[in-house]
Amino acid sequence: MTINKLSFTILLASGLLFSGCNKVLDLKPTDKIPAEALFGDPEGVKLYMANLYYQLPIEDFTYFRNGFNWNSGDPNNGGFAPAMATDEAVHTEFGDFVGDGDFNCWESSYKLIRDVNLLIDAIPTLAIREDEKAALVGESAFIKAYAYFALAKRYGGVSIIKGSQKYTGDAESLKVPRSTEKETWDYVLELCDQAIANLGDGVSRRASKWTAYALKSRAALHAASLAKFGARAPMSGAAVNAKLIGMEAGAATAYYEACKSASLALINAGKFELFMPNPANPAAAAENYRQLFQDPANKEVIFAKGYTLPGAFLGHNYDIWYQPAQVANGWPHPGRMNPTLDLVDSYESYDNPGHSSPVVTSTDGNITDYNGYKASRTYIQFDTPNDIFKNKDARLWGTAILPSTLWKSIPIIIQAGYVKPDGSAVIRTNDHIDIGGTTYYTYGAASTSQYSGFDTYGGNNTRTGFSFKKFMNQNAPIVPGWNQSTTDFIDFRLAEIMLNYAEAVVESGTGDAALAAKVMNDIRKRAAHTTDIPLTSDNVQRERKVELAFENKRFWDLIRRREYHTEFNNRMLHSLLPLRDLRALPATKYIFVRVDVPNTNTKTFQPKSYYRPIPGIGSNGLIQNPQY
Amino acid sequence: MNKLKYIFFATALALGMTSCEKDNYDGPTAGLSGRFVDVKTKELIEQDIILGTTIEIIEHGYASRTPQALIVKTDGTYANTMLFANTYTVTPVRGNFLPVDSQVVDIKGQTTLDFSVTPYIRVQDVSIVKSGTKVVATFKLEQNVINNVKKIGLYAHSDARVGEPMRLVASEINLNAPSDPTHVYTLEIDLAANSNTLKPGNKYYFRVGALIDAGEAKPNYRPAVRLDI
């Protein structure tokens, strides 16, 4: 390089540097809309609002342990659902449980909160009517409350960002320390009240007074339970000392009171009612219950997340992952939601109201022997593979596909093996036996396309003895591709609010006990129960477990009541093996064996998991939750 | 062009080789190890390997107060031989003994630090034998605090580090009462009823434990015994 060339380069560089202030570089980006233009137009606000709703941390069909809206172009999560981290279900193959990195929402929540705060800043400047402004204020408060609720139930006390922050060159000034857990819950309820005061009382797909009451009912019950049951899992450390996690037991009273009043507002609103409250018989009740979720356009729904179009970020994947193998329609990975025997046991039987009714398989009545089939034991013989569930709560029939029941007009075959005439058994081993010119197969049929249970082929067959029905679309064949399901998800429905009320009354010991018992029994009547049961803590919890199964409520019930670490201490979940009993030939008979879920390990919930780890403490300077 | 390519390549290589030089710090050379010893009997205090006692250490000289955790082994000893030499605040937490205060320790080279502590419960006169189709454990309890004894348990596992959190089979009794120092407690595991998990003809480890009713307390144990079933 000659000197000349070098000086030319320097000249050129300095020319560029010094001319940087020229207007030619002050171009407005053409791929972004400036705030004034967006918020200056009411239509722009609507668009912005749609984006905020999309970000709401709703634990719906696209909620997964890695986050929300898990329906991108390739949402392959192996068909794992949050229910599989509870006692509701297991996956056909995975044994995953609650890990440190699971079920977090820190960054997505604060992103949403910032987006809402920007809108709140803009509301006073909008050229719209005052009532429209009030509605936007209320809607913003609702969305913000939803985000802080998601944070509080995972992290305890968090940084409360009340208004939008502006960066002025000093990063330190943007850091907001964590509030106490109590302050955070109080803030959630305060935002709910703001929403209630500003929102209208229509019922639509957007936030209303009623959705705000519903959120308040759920959040207040959560907070009250933490205060009441926190002592079941004591913790220590810096976060505890600063009250960033944990609340005094005395705080429970006010939270239960808040839950009761918010729930009552909804129960007495005259706008919501249970779907099909008086079924003719259990079979009708089971079908009603199924319909409630397949098409949530009914008056029980307070708030739903709608799905309209298939496609990336539009549809979801419940149908491809969870419908039984026989109806896979070319999709290679069906059948992954396996409801457990533990859940099935919880449902009442019509002849023993008010009690869980575990499935009894043998004449000795022993329901705790999980050691497998024994020829010496006398098993009760049944005429069909589902007779054993005949008297069980209709909601079991509406939630799970039971062996040899019809789905899309096909009998779903779930069989684990057979007992030979000599009393020896073939279980979960691909085999067949010829007797009197008829061939009997382990899995109830000859080929993998003809059954849906126990064969490990493809990980497509249930290993608990139950397949999945709730939320499944019965009306259309499976479309074998990503994000093709458009069934809506009910976030809040009246039955949950009624059970919130019942729980708040029974746990606080105050309130209208007669009404609480009535609403709980109304829900049972809808499931074809005819005998009322008394309002007790156990009855309310069983009712929640069966009525709200798979709605991603069980996880939080175990968390907020601090029951996870005792329910899951080396917990083995269980399966029910239906076996064809060939000793009974020529009669057709089946027996059942209670066993540990095959190929699985025990699960233990670590008490530290009651709070999730806060990310980025190295830079945000926040106090970490204990033991992370 | 070819020349340019070489120059570029040589420059990239030179940059690549040299850039690591400056942040090549020495690895950790110090360590901390020691034992948890019963102040009265001088015996090691048995622990759980998972969810057991941990020692939190905070290295001085940094803004971050996030502790590192040292896991105590089942026999009551611990060791971390890969620490940076520095001053640390050392605190055993969530243990099965009366809480002890933090102490500031200069860790230089391989440093030894023993803790002389009072266990919540001394499990004594332990006998674990196979009797017919059962494994029967008998033992006495001597508690050193007035709290209730929450539960006692007999735990079985194929691994020697068996304990309350790590077991294939457990036989537990919820006492929720103060223990009687003269009473002989008995726990049984029915081998026939657990034949699916404790397979006949194999050897398994059995260990008894007792848990005090105190926040975050861990069970107290005696060493596991191995039985042929």
Side-chain angles (χ1 to χ4, degrees):
Chain A
M1 206 178 259
T2 62
I3 297 291
N4 255 349
K5 262 188 192 163
L6 188 68
S7 14
F8 175 73
T9 313
I10 291 170
L11 201 71
L12 189 71
S14 37
L16 281 172
L17 276 173
F18 287 108
S19 65
C21 305
N22 198 310
K23 283 208 171 122
V24 74
L25 290 179
D26 282 352
L27 285 173
K28 302 261 183 205
T30 53
D31 60 339
K32 292 193 177 85
I33 302 172
E36 315 85 72
L38 182 66
F39 294 132
D41 180 354
E43 287 304 312
V45 175
K46 265 189 201 163
L47 269 179
Y48 194 76
M49 196 53 97
N51 178 275
L52 297 184
Y53 274 95
Y54 180 76
Q55 293 182 60
L56 267 191
I58 296 175
E59 295 170 17
D60 73 328
F61 302 127
T62 60
Y63 175 55
F64 170 54
R65 61 168 178 240
N66 289 19
F68 300 88
N69 294 318
W70 200 262
N71 57 347
S72 62
D74 180 9
N76 189 353
N77 62 7
F80 187 87
M84 296 165 191
T86 71
D87 47 8
E88 290 176 331
V90 294
H91 188 273
T92 45
E93 296 176 309
F94 304 164
D96 306 40
F97 197 46
V98 183
D100 289 357
D102 297 341
F103 304 117
N104 288 297
C105 74
W106 186 269
E107 279 156 31
S108 58
S109 299
Y110 277 108
K111 185 175 176 302
L112 173 58
I113 288 163
R114 173 160 177 83
D115 287 354
V116 182
N117 281 338
L118 289 175
L119 174 65
I120 293 171
D121 287 350
I123 293 172
T125 69
L126 297 180
I128 51 174
R129 294 195 313 270
E130 284 307 309
D131 60 322
E132 290 174 330
K133 279 187 189 175
L136 279 184
V137 167
E139 222 167 351
S140 311
F142 172 77
I143 292 168
K144 214 161 143 181
Y146 209 115
Y148 275 107
F149 176 40
L151 285 167
K153 64 185 182 177
R154 290 175 176 85
Y155 303 99
V158 297
S159 313
I160 293 177
I161 317 288
K162 291 199 169 174
S164 67
Q165 293 179 307
K166 286 196 174 55
Y167 179 60
T168 53
D170 175 21
E172 284 303 310
S173 68
L174 298 177
K175 293 182 181 177
V176 179
R178 295 174 69 182
S179 293
T180 66
E181 173 148 22
K182 175 138 198 326
E183 286 164 354
T184 306
W185 284 108
D186 288 345
Y187 185 54
V188 173
L189 299 192
E190 183 192 317
L191 288 168
C192 288
D193 288 337
Q194 261 180 41
I196 292 165
N198 283 289
L199 283 164
D201 66 353
V203 177
S204 76
R205 284 297 174 92
R206 284 175 72 160
S208 66
K209 196 181 285 297
W210 311 115
T211 62
Y213 273 125
L215 181 60
K216 189 178 178 188
S217 163
R218 187 187 285 171
L221 184 66
H222 197 114
S225 314
L226 292 178
K228 180 169 181 183
F229 300 113
R232 286 178 173 175
M235 291 183 152
S236 62
V240 178
N241 298 341
K243 298 195 186 330
L244 306 182
I245 60 169
M247 286 189 283
E248 308 283 334
T253 315
Y255 290 135
Y256 279 128
E257 221 37 61
C259 172
K260 275 183 274 185
S261 64
S263 307
L264 272 181
L266 287 160
I267 292 168
N268 297 329
K271 302 220 172 215
F272 308 100
E273 56 194 42
L274 291 179
F275 178 63
M276 300 289 201
N278 297 302
N281 52 51
E287 178 59 11
N288 294 343
Y289 184 74
R290 191 188 70 74
Q291 286 283 357
L292 166 60
F293 303 101
Q294 182 177 278
D295 183 16
N298 55 67
K299 293 184 83 174
E300 182 165 340
V301 177
I302 299 168
F303 192 50
K305 179 165 171 179
Y307 287 89
T308 310
L309 299 167
F313 301 107
L314 295 169
H316 61 84
N317 294 294
Y318 257 45
D319 287 299
I320 52 172
W321 287 125
Y322 304 134
Q323 292 211 21
Q326 281 163 269
V327 299
N329 197 30
W331 174 253
H333 314 294
R336 266 131 171 92
M337 185 81 86
N338 305 171
T340 61
L341 176 57
D342 309 62
L343 173 67
V344 172
D345 279 348
S346 300
Y347 289 85
E348 288 174 72
S349 156
Y350 290 112
D351 45 27
N352 188 16
H355 300 278
S356 291
S357 175
V359 177
V360 177
T361 60
S362 58
T363 51
D364 59 23
N366 185 342
I367 50 162
T368 56
D369 183 343
Y370 295 105
N371 290 307
Y373 170 81
K374 277 194 206 73
S376 57
R377 214 166 152 197
T378 310
Y379 294 92
I380 305 168
Q381 291 184 324
F382 294 88
D383 293 339
T384 74
N386 56 57
D387 256 11
I388 194 167
F389 312 108
K390 203 161 56 184
N391 261 325
K392 289 277 259 182
D393 194 309
R395 287 169 291 186
L396 169 63
W397 294 74
T399 300
I401 295 181
L402 303 171
S404 292
T405 56
L406 293 182
W407 177 251
K408 295 183 172 175
S409 311
I410 299 170
I412 301 302
I413 308 297
I414 299 173
Q415 182 179 314
Y418 51 81
V419 181
K420 294 181 194 168
D422 67 4
S424 65
V426 172
I427 298 174
R428 295 180 53 251
T429 310
N430 204 349
D431 204 352
H432 59 85
I433 186 171
D434 295 313
I435 301 173
T438 311
T439 309
Y440 300 93
Y441 297 93
T442 302
Y443 301 116
S447 91
T448 50
S449 60
Q450 295 169 312
Y451 53 76
S452 301
F454 294 104
D455 189 352
T456 53
Y457 172 80
N460 297 346
N461 300 300
T462 173
R463 55 172 165 165
T464 60
F466 308 98
S467 193
F468 193 49
K469 184 185 276 184
K470 195 169 175 175
F471 314 121
M472 295 295 104
N473 184 355
Q474 196 176 40
N475 298 337
I478 287 177
V479 181
W482 297 125
N483 309 317
Q484 298 297 313
S485 295
T486 53
T487 308
D488 294 346
F489 178 80
I490 308 175
D491 189 17
F492 291 102
R493 61 187 176 103
L494 185 61
E496 183 202 344
I497 302 301
M498 288 172 154
L499 289 171
N500 290 354
Y501 183 72
E503 181 172 341
V505 168
V506 76
E507 298 295 350
S508 68
T510 60
D512 188 342
L515 176 64
K518 179 188 175 293
V519 292
M520 177 181 72
N521 281 306
D522 282 351
I523 294 169
R524 292 176 65 257
K525 276 201 195 86
R526 190 255 295 272
H529 286 278
T530 50
T531 314
D532 283 357
I533 58 174
L535 180 77
T536 64
S537 182
D538 284 352
N539 282 343
V540 173
Q541 291 311 314
R542 184 184 52 254
E543 203 46 40
R544 285 188 76 90
K545 192 173 176 187
V546 302
E547 174 69 25
L548 306 175
F550 297 100
E551 295 175 40
N552 295 335
K553 305 294 184 290
R554 175 76 179 150
F555 180 88
W556 295 112
D557 287 353
L558 290 168
I559 293 273
R560 69 186 167 83
R561 295 176 65 85
R562 293 296 188 253
E563 288 171 352
Y564 232 132
H565 70 296
T566 42
E567 286 282 332
F568 281 86
N569 181 353
N570 283 276
R571 169 94 176 256
M572 186 60 100
L573 293 164
H574 300 107
S575 297
L576 188 67
L577 307 180
L579 303 180
R580 176 78 195 265
D581 194 345
L582 300 174
R583 289 173 298 190
L585 284 175
T588 306
K589 293 286 178 188
Y590 295 86
I591 63 165
F592 297 83
V593 186
R594 298 173 65 98
V595 294
D596 294 337
V597 174
N599 309 330
T600 188
N601 290 315
T602 57
K603 293 174 175 175
T604 297
F605 183 91
Q606 297 195 31
K608 72 168 185 178
S609 301
Y610 282 122
Y611 293 99
R612 310 269 84 215
I614 292 180
I617 51 159
S619 53
N620 61 26
L622 298 179
I623 297 175
Q624 183 58 283
N625 283 329
Q627 300 181 55
Y628 289 108
Chain B
M1 200 60 205
N2 243 352
K3 217 180 198 174
L4 253 181
K5 219 188 251 172
Y6 276 122
I7 293 169
F8 177 75
F9 195 71
T11 319
L13 199 69
L15 282 172
M17 303 285 278
T18 53
S19 59
C20 300
E21 201 72 51
K22 281 193 176 160
D23 51 357
N24 260 354
Y25 290 108
D26 291 335
T29 54
L32 185 69
S33 63
R35 316 183 313 146
F36 283 85
V37 181
D38 186 330
V39 67
K40 188 172 128 194
T41 66
K42 308 297 175 206
E43 288 174 323
L44 281 169
I45 295 183
E46 291 262 319
Q47 302 291 338
D48 278 310
I49 191 66
I50 50 171
L51 302 179
T53 302
T54 47
I55 305 170
E56 289 185 351
I57 59 169
I58 299 173
E59 189 171 357
H60 290 201
Y62 295 94
S64 167
R65 302 288 292 165
T66 307
Q68 306 178 53
L70 308 190
I71 307 293
V72 182
K73 288 187 251 183
T74 32
D75 65 358
T77 65
Y78 72 95
N80 184 339
T81 57
M82 300 279 272
L83 291 169
F84 290 101
N86 202 340
T87 309
Y88 291 80
T89 300
V90 179
T91 322
V93 291
R94 297 182 285 277
N96 55 4
F97 43 81
L98 293 177
V100 292
D101 289 336
S102 304
Q103 46 188 305
V104 175
V105 181
D106 241 347
I107 300 180
K108 250 186 257 157
Q110 296 300 328
T111 307
T112 306
L113 178 65
D114 288 347
F115 296 92
S116 208
V117 295
T118 307
Y120 286 126
I121 304 171
R122 288 193 186 94
V123 185
Q124 293 169 326
D125 302 337
V126 178
S127 145
I128 304 176
V129 292
K130 185 175 174 239
S131 160
T133 61
K134 286 176 176 168
V135 169
V136 181
T138 56
F139 53 93
K140 286 184 180 170
L141 299 178
E142 174 194 321
Q143 60 183 99
N144 299 314
V145 286
I146 56 162
N147 303 31
N148 286 343
V149 173
K150 201 169 188 177
K151 66 176 180 182
I152 54 174
L154 171 63
Y155 306 101
H157 199 280
S158 52
D159 191 286
R161 285 155 287 196
V162 56
E164 196 271 343
M166 181 169 155
R167 83 282 181 112
L168 294 172
V169 174
S171 161
E172 294 183 324
I173 297 175
N174 293 316
L175 289 185
N176 291 318
S179 57
D180 172 359
T182 60
H183 184 76
V184 176
Y185 293 90
T186 307
L187 289 167
E188 295 179 350
I189 288 179
D190 186 341
L191 296 173
N194 292 287
S195 58
N196 199 33
T197 1
L198 302 178
K199 302 217 161 54
N202 291 358
K203 289 189 168 75
Y204 292 93
Y205 290 90
F206 294 84
R207 195 183 190 199
V208 288
L211 178 63
I212 202 77
D213 193 352
E216 297 188 297
K218 305 294 186 248
N220 290 95
Y221 296 99
R222 295 297 293 174
V225 298
R226 194 178 191 203
L227 295 178
D228 201 340
I229 60 169

